[in-house]
Amino acid sequence: MNVPIKSTLDPEQQRITGDALRASVVDLIDLSLIAKQAHWNVLGTHFRSVHLALDELVSAAREFTDSAAERATAIGVSPDGRAATVAKEAAGLEFPDGWQQDTDVINAIVDNLSTVIRRFRERIDATEKADPVTQDLFIEIAARLEQLHWMWQAQLSTA
């Protein structure tokens, strides 16, 4: 197929940035699916607050997925959010099957957010010279994920 979208980036900038954006789409879809799985299966004393916080995380992850996918398209890179791609390329995020205790859900979400944030920080570095516009998007996403990470951790704090 002919390339329908021409990038203003040079080929190497486009490759670096496109790889980072495609990986971000995969990680964010995976994070949203994990959060939704947790949302449906959480039990415990803090069920309601955890259930609602999971909806907030799903919404943020889905919004950022769309932003990353549309940025990829804008630079002439086709995003790939198919289930098979997500299953094959996700960051190794995990969530168990079945009912889960609220504190276990919180710990799992904190761990998964840590992984995704680490990967976004790597992408921030990778896109610094290749495409500052995409780097800006990654900074915005990382900042919001770090805010959510703090809020999830605070739910378990006893200090």
Side-chain angles (χ1 to χ4, degrees):
M1 169 185 234
N2 198 4
V3 179
I5 309 297
K6 305 289 187 226
S7 180
T8 58
L9 301 176
D10 72 37
E12 183 62 9
Q13 292 170 323
Q14 184 187 33
R15 183 195 61 75
I16 291 166
T17 305
D19 289 351
L21 285 162
R22 287 174 62 102
S24 296
V25 166
V26 166
D27 284 353
L28 290 164
I29 290 171
D30 197 30
L31 180 62
S32 72
L33 293 172
I34 285 168
K36 207 43 145 163
Q37 179 69 18
H39 173 85
W40 296 322
N41 287 286
V42 64
L43 300 168
T45 307
H46 304 288
F47 162 80
R48 183 155 174 74
S49 62
V50 172
H51 186 76
L52 295 173
L54 287 162
D55 270 341
E56 180 182 13
L57 177 57
V58 169
S59 292
R62 287 179 177 169
E63 178 183 328
F64 290 140
T65 300
D66 197 49
S67 296
E70 288 183 359
R71 179 66 190 151
T73 302
I75 65 161
V77 174
S78 174
D80 187 355
R82 296 172 299 161
T85 302
V86 173
K88 183 174 120 191
E89 297 178 12
L93 306 181
E94 295 185 14
F95 192 82
D97 185 27
W99 306 113
Q100 301 298 316
Q101 192 63 38
D102 50 7
T103 53
D104 295 335
V105 168
I106 293 168
N107 283 318
I109 294 300
V110 167
D111 291 345
N112 283 304
L113 280 168
S114 293
T115 299
V116 172
I117 291 165
R118 178 184 49 76
R119 289 173 56 96
F120 266 94
R121 287 192 161 275
E122 292 167 0
R123 294 175 192 133
I124 288 167
D125 291 342
T127 56
E128 179 179 11
K129 293 214 184 317
D131 183 24
V133 175
T134 298
Q135 183 194 41
D136 222 26
L137 174 63
F138 289 161
I139 290 168
E140 176 189 347
I141 293 170
R144 178 66 173 129
L145 292 177
E146 286 176 346
Q147 180 188 41
L148 290 167
H149 185 250
W150 150 58
M151 291 177 174
W152 279 94
Q153 289 178 83
Q155 292 185 70
L156 294 178
S157 179
T158 58

Short mmCIF file of all heavy atoms in Angstrom, two decimals, residues 19-28 30-31 85-86 88-93 111-127 138-139 141-142 145-146:
data_model
loop_
_atom_site.label_atom_id
_atom_site.label_comp_id
_atom_site.label_asym_id
_atom_site.label_seq_id
_atom_site.Cartn_x
_atom_site.Cartn_y
_atom_site.Cartn_z
N ASP A 19 8.16 3.90 16.76
CA ASP A 19 8.32 2.73 17.64
C ASP A 19 7.84 3.05 19.05
O ASP A 19 7.17 2.23 19.69
CB ASP A 19 9.78 2.27 17.68
CG ASP A 19 10.25 1.62 16.39
OD1 ASP A 19 9.41 1.34 15.50
OD2 ASP A 19 11.48 1.39 16.26
N ALA A 20 8.21 4.23 19.54
CA ALA A 20 7.80 4.62 20.89
C ALA A 20 6.29 4.79 20.99
O ALA A 20 5.67 4.38 21.98
CB ALA A 20 8.52 5.91 21.29
N LEU A 21 5.69 5.38 19.99
CA LEU A 21 4.24 5.58 20.00
C LEU A 21 3.49 4.25 19.89
O LEU A 21 2.50 4.03 20.61
CB LEU A 21 3.82 6.53 18.88
CG LEU A 21 4.15 8.00 19.15
CD1 LEU A 21 4.12 8.80 17.85
CD2 LEU A 21 3.19 8.58 20.19
N ARG A 22 3.94 3.39 19.01
CA ARG A 22 3.27 2.08 18.85
C ARG A 22 3.35 1.28 20.15
O ARG A 22 2.37 0.66 20.57
CB ARG A 22 3.85 1.31 17.68
CG ARG A 22 3.43 1.88 16.32
CD ARG A 22 4.13 1.20 15.16
NE ARG A 22 3.83 -0.22 15.08
CZ ARG A 22 2.98 -0.77 14.24
NH1 ARG A 22 2.33 -0.01 13.37
NH2 ARG A 22 2.77 -2.07 14.22
N ALA A 23 4.51 1.29 20.80
CA ALA A 23 4.66 0.59 22.08
C ALA A 23 3.78 1.21 23.17
O ALA A 23 3.23 0.51 24.01
CB ALA A 23 6.12 0.58 22.50
N SER A 24 3.64 2.52 23.12
CA SER A 24 2.79 3.21 24.10
C SER A 24 1.33 2.83 23.93
O SER A 24 0.62 2.62 24.92
CB SER A 24 2.95 4.73 23.95
OG SER A 24 4.25 5.12 24.26
N VAL A 25 0.89 2.74 22.70
CA VAL A 25 -0.49 2.32 22.42
C VAL A 25 -0.73 0.94 23.02
O VAL A 25 -1.74 0.71 23.72
CB VAL A 25 -0.80 2.35 20.91
CG1 VAL A 25 -2.09 1.61 20.58
CG2 VAL A 25 -0.85 3.79 20.41
N VAL A 26 0.18 0.03 22.81
CA VAL A 26 0.06 -1.33 23.34
C VAL A 26 0.01 -1.31 24.87
O VAL A 26 -0.87 -1.92 25.49
CB VAL A 26 1.21 -2.23 22.83
CG1 VAL A 26 1.30 -3.52 23.61
CG2 VAL A 26 1.03 -2.51 21.35
N ASP A 27 0.95 -0.60 25.50
CA ASP A 27 0.99 -0.56 26.96
C ASP A 27 -0.27 0.05 27.55
O ASP A 27 -0.79 -0.42 28.57
CB ASP A 27 2.20 0.24 27.46
CG ASP A 27 3.50 -0.52 27.34
OD1 ASP A 27 3.48 -1.72 27.00
OD2 ASP A 27 4.56 0.11 27.59
N LEU A 28 -0.76 1.10 26.92
CA LEU A 28 -1.95 1.77 27.46
C LEU A 28 -3.22 0.93 27.27
O LEU A 28 -4.08 0.91 28.15
CB LEU A 28 -2.10 3.15 26.82
CG LEU A 28 -1.04 4.16 27.26
CD1 LEU A 28 -1.01 5.36 26.32
CD2 LEU A 28 -1.26 4.59 28.71
N ASP A 30 -3.22 -2.33 27.23
CA ASP A 30 -3.06 -3.39 28.22
C ASP A 30 -3.41 -2.88 29.62
O ASP A 30 -4.12 -3.56 30.37
CB ASP A 30 -1.62 -3.92 28.18
CG ASP A 30 -1.46 -5.26 28.87
OD1 ASP A 30 -2.42 -6.06 28.89
OD2 ASP A 30 -0.36 -5.52 29.38
N LEU A 31 -2.94 -1.69 29.96
CA LEU A 31 -3.27 -1.12 31.27
C LEU A 31 -4.77 -0.93 31.43
O LEU A 31 -5.33 -1.25 32.48
CB LEU A 31 -2.54 0.21 31.44
CG LEU A 31 -2.77 0.93 32.77
CD1 LEU A 31 -2.27 0.09 33.95
CD2 LEU A 31 -2.08 2.30 32.74
N THR A 85 -1.70 -8.12 18.88
CA THR A 85 -0.51 -7.29 19.06
C THR A 85 -0.32 -6.95 20.53
O THR A 85 0.80 -7.03 21.04
CB THR A 85 -0.63 -6.00 18.22
OG1 THR A 85 -0.81 -6.37 16.85
CG2 THR A 85 0.60 -5.13 18.36
N VAL A 86 -1.39 -6.59 21.19
CA VAL A 86 -1.30 -6.26 22.63
C VAL A 86 -0.83 -7.48 23.40
O VAL A 86 0.06 -7.38 24.25
CB VAL A 86 -2.65 -5.72 23.16
CG1 VAL A 86 -2.61 -5.54 24.67
CG2 VAL A 86 -3.01 -4.40 22.47
N LYS A 88 0.95 -9.95 22.42
CA LYS A 88 2.33 -10.31 22.07
C LYS A 88 3.35 -9.29 22.57
O LYS A 88 4.44 -9.66 23.00
CB LYS A 88 2.43 -10.43 20.54
CG LYS A 88 3.79 -10.86 20.04
CD LYS A 88 3.74 -11.10 18.53
CE LYS A 88 4.72 -10.17 17.87
NZ LYS A 88 4.60 -10.10 16.44
N GLU A 89 2.99 -8.00 22.57
CA GLU A 89 3.98 -6.96 22.79
C GLU A 89 3.83 -6.18 24.10
O GLU A 89 4.62 -5.29 24.36
CB GLU A 89 3.96 -5.98 21.62
CG GLU A 89 4.34 -6.63 20.31
CD GLU A 89 4.28 -5.67 19.13
OE1 GLU A 89 4.16 -4.45 19.34
OE2 GLU A 89 4.36 -6.16 17.99
N ALA A 90 2.84 -6.49 24.90
CA ALA A 90 2.62 -5.73 26.14
C ALA A 90 3.82 -5.84 27.07
O ALA A 90 4.61 -6.77 26.99
CB ALA A 90 1.35 -6.23 26.83
N ALA A 91 3.91 -4.90 27.97
CA ALA A 91 5.07 -4.73 28.85
C ALA A 91 5.19 -5.80 29.93
O ALA A 91 6.00 -5.66 30.84
CB ALA A 91 5.00 -3.36 29.52
N GLY A 92 4.41 -6.83 29.86
CA GLY A 92 4.48 -7.85 30.89
C GLY A 92 3.61 -7.51 32.09
O GLY A 92 3.81 -8.01 33.18
N LEU A 93 2.65 -6.64 31.86
CA LEU A 93 1.71 -6.31 32.93
C LEU A 93 0.87 -7.54 33.22
O LEU A 93 0.59 -8.33 32.33
CB LEU A 93 0.81 -5.15 32.50
CG LEU A 93 1.50 -3.89 32.02
CD1 LEU A 93 0.46 -2.84 31.65
CD2 LEU A 93 2.46 -3.35 33.05
N ASP A 111 1.88 -1.79 40.99
CA ASP A 111 2.97 -2.45 40.25
C ASP A 111 2.86 -2.23 38.75
O ASP A 111 3.86 -1.95 38.07
CB ASP A 111 2.99 -3.95 40.55
CG ASP A 111 3.42 -4.26 41.97
OD1 ASP A 111 3.97 -3.37 42.66
OD2 ASP A 111 3.20 -5.42 42.40
N ASN A 112 1.65 -2.36 38.22
CA ASN A 112 1.46 -2.17 36.79
C ASN A 112 1.71 -0.72 36.38
O ASN A 112 2.34 -0.47 35.34
CB ASN A 112 0.06 -2.63 36.37
CG ASN A 112 -0.04 -4.13 36.27
OD1 ASN A 112 0.72 -4.76 35.55
ND2 ASN A 112 -0.97 -4.72 36.99
N LEU A 113 1.24 0.22 37.18
CA LEU A 113 1.52 1.62 36.88
C LEU A 113 3.01 1.91 36.92
O LEU A 113 3.53 2.64 36.06
CB LEU A 113 0.77 2.54 37.86
CG LEU A 113 -0.70 2.76 37.56
CD1 LEU A 113 -1.40 3.42 38.75
CD2 LEU A 113 -0.88 3.60 36.31
N SER A 114 3.73 1.33 37.88
CA SER A 114 5.18 1.52 37.95
C SER A 114 5.86 1.08 36.67
O SER A 114 6.75 1.77 36.15
CB SER A 114 5.77 0.73 39.13
OG SER A 114 5.33 1.25 40.35
N THR A 115 5.46 -0.06 36.15
CA THR A 115 6.04 -0.58 34.91
C THR A 115 5.76 0.35 33.74
O THR A 115 6.66 0.68 32.96
CB THR A 115 5.50 -1.99 34.62
OG1 THR A 115 5.87 -2.85 35.69
CG2 THR A 115 6.03 -2.53 33.31
N VAL A 116 4.52 0.77 33.61
CA VAL A 116 4.15 1.63 32.48
C VAL A 116 4.86 2.98 32.59
O VAL A 116 5.37 3.51 31.60
CB VAL A 116 2.61 1.80 32.40
CG1 VAL A 116 2.23 2.85 31.37
CG2 VAL A 116 1.95 0.47 32.08
N ILE A 117 4.94 3.54 33.78
CA ILE A 117 5.62 4.82 33.98
C ILE A 117 7.10 4.70 33.62
O ILE A 117 7.65 5.57 32.94
CB ILE A 117 5.43 5.32 35.43
CG1 ILE A 117 3.97 5.72 35.65
CG2 ILE A 117 6.39 6.47 35.73
CD1 ILE A 117 3.59 5.88 37.12
N ARG A 118 7.74 3.64 34.06
CA ARG A 118 9.16 3.43 33.72
C ARG A 118 9.34 3.42 32.21
O ARG A 118 10.25 4.04 31.67
CB ARG A 118 9.67 2.12 34.34
CG ARG A 118 11.14 1.82 34.01
CD ARG A 118 11.59 0.48 34.54
NE ARG A 118 10.71 -0.64 34.25
CZ ARG A 118 10.61 -1.24 33.06
NH1 ARG A 118 11.33 -0.83 32.04
NH2 ARG A 118 9.78 -2.26 32.89
N ARG A 119 8.46 2.72 31.52
CA ARG A 119 8.57 2.63 30.06
C ARG A 119 8.31 4.00 29.41
O ARG A 119 8.96 4.34 28.43
CB ARG A 119 7.64 1.56 29.52
CG ARG A 119 8.15 0.16 29.89
CD ARG A 119 7.20 -0.95 29.54
NE ARG A 119 6.79 -1.01 28.17
CZ ARG A 119 7.34 -1.79 27.23
NH1 ARG A 119 8.33 -2.59 27.54
NH2 ARG A 119 6.87 -1.78 25.99
N PHE A 120 7.40 4.79 29.96
CA PHE A 120 7.17 6.12 29.41
C PHE A 120 8.38 7.03 29.65
O PHE A 120 8.73 7.83 28.78
CB PHE A 120 5.89 6.75 29.98
CG PHE A 120 4.72 6.51 29.08
CD1 PHE A 120 3.89 5.42 29.31
CD2 PHE A 120 4.47 7.31 27.98
CE1 PHE A 120 2.82 5.16 28.46
CE2 PHE A 120 3.42 7.06 27.13
CZ PHE A 120 2.58 5.98 27.37
N ARG A 121 9.02 6.89 30.78
CA ARG A 121 10.22 7.70 31.03
C ARG A 121 11.33 7.33 30.03
O ARG A 121 12.07 8.21 29.58
CB ARG A 121 10.68 7.55 32.47
CG ARG A 121 9.73 8.30 33.41
CD ARG A 121 10.29 8.44 34.81
NE ARG A 121 9.60 9.50 35.50
CZ ARG A 121 9.90 10.80 35.44
NH1 ARG A 121 10.90 11.20 34.70
NH2 ARG A 121 9.23 11.69 36.13
N GLU A 122 11.44 6.06 29.69
CA GLU A 122 12.41 5.66 28.65
C GLU A 122 12.05 6.29 27.31
O GLU A 122 12.93 6.73 26.56
CB GLU A 122 12.44 4.13 28.52
CG GLU A 122 13.03 3.43 29.73
CD GLU A 122 12.79 1.92 29.74
OE1 GLU A 122 12.14 1.38 28.80
OE2 GLU A 122 13.23 1.27 30.72
N ARG A 123 10.77 6.34 27.00
CA ARG A 123 10.32 6.94 25.73
C ARG A 123 10.51 8.45 25.72
O ARG A 123 10.75 9.04 24.66
CB ARG A 123 8.87 6.56 25.46
CG ARG A 123 8.71 5.08 25.21
CD ARG A 123 7.26 4.68 25.07
NE ARG A 123 7.18 3.23 25.13
CZ ARG A 123 6.33 2.55 25.87
NH1 ARG A 123 5.42 3.18 26.60
NH2 ARG A 123 6.35 1.23 25.89
N ILE A 124 10.37 9.06 26.88
CA ILE A 124 10.64 10.51 26.99
C ILE A 124 12.09 10.77 26.57
O ILE A 124 12.36 11.68 25.78
CB ILE A 124 10.35 11.02 28.41
CG1 ILE A 124 8.84 11.04 28.67
CG2 ILE A 124 10.97 12.40 28.63
CD1 ILE A 124 8.45 11.24 30.13
N ASP A 125 13.00 9.97 27.10
CA ASP A 125 14.42 10.11 26.73
C ASP A 125 14.65 9.82 25.25
O ASP A 125 15.37 10.55 24.57
CB ASP A 125 15.29 9.18 27.57
CG ASP A 125 15.37 9.60 29.02
OD1 ASP A 125 15.04 10.76 29.34
OD2 ASP A 125 15.75 8.75 29.86
N ALA A 126 14.02 8.77 24.74
CA ALA A 126 14.24 8.35 23.35
C ALA A 126 13.75 9.38 22.34
O ALA A 126 14.31 9.49 21.25
CB ALA A 126 13.56 7.01 23.10
N THR A 127 12.71 10.12 22.68
CA THR A 127 12.12 11.05 21.73
C THR A 127 12.59 12.49 21.92
O THR A 127 12.17 13.38 21.18
CB THR A 127 10.58 11.01 21.80
OG1 THR A 127 10.16 11.27 23.14
CG2 THR A 127 10.05 9.66 21.33
N PHE A 138 4.36 12.42 25.79
CA PHE A 138 4.80 11.40 26.75
C PHE A 138 4.97 12.00 28.15
O PHE A 138 4.66 11.35 29.15
CB PHE A 138 6.09 10.74 26.29
CG PHE A 138 5.94 9.82 25.11
CD1 PHE A 138 7.04 9.47 24.36
CD2 PHE A 138 4.71 9.30 24.73
CE1 PHE A 138 6.92 8.61 23.27
CE2 PHE A 138 4.58 8.45 23.65
CZ PHE A 138 5.69 8.10 22.91
N ILE A 139 5.47 13.22 28.24
CA ILE A 139 5.61 13.89 29.53
C ILE A 139 4.24 14.09 30.17
O ILE A 139 4.05 13.83 31.37
CB ILE A 139 6.38 15.22 29.38
CG1 ILE A 139 7.84 14.95 29.05
CG2 ILE A 139 6.25 16.08 30.65
CD1 ILE A 139 8.62 16.17 28.61
N ILE A 141 1.49 12.33 29.61
CA ILE A 141 0.97 11.02 30.01
C ILE A 141 1.66 10.54 31.27
O ILE A 141 1.00 10.09 32.22
CB ILE A 141 1.13 10.00 28.86
CG1 ILE A 141 0.22 10.38 27.69
CG2 ILE A 141 0.84 8.58 29.35
CD1 ILE A 141 0.48 9.58 26.41
N ALA A 142 2.99 10.64 31.33
CA ALA A 142 3.74 10.19 32.51
C ALA A 142 3.32 10.97 33.75
O ALA A 142 3.17 10.39 34.83
CB ALA A 142 5.24 10.31 32.27
N LEU A 145 -0.04 9.61 34.89
CA LEU A 145 0.11 8.25 35.43
C LEU A 145 0.82 8.29 36.78
O LEU A 145 0.48 7.52 37.69
CB LEU A 145 0.85 7.36 34.45
CG LEU A 145 0.10 7.03 33.15
CD1 LEU A 145 0.99 6.20 32.22
CD2 LEU A 145 -1.23 6.34 33.41
N GLU A 146 1.80 9.17 36.93
CA GLU A 146 2.48 9.30 38.23
C GLU A 146 1.54 9.83 39.30
O GLU A 146 1.61 9.41 40.46
CB GLU A 146 3.72 10.17 38.10
CG GLU A 146 4.84 9.45 37.38
CD GLU A 146 6.07 10.30 37.14
OE1 GLU A 146 6.01 11.55 37.27
OE2 GLU A 146 7.11 9.70 36.79
#
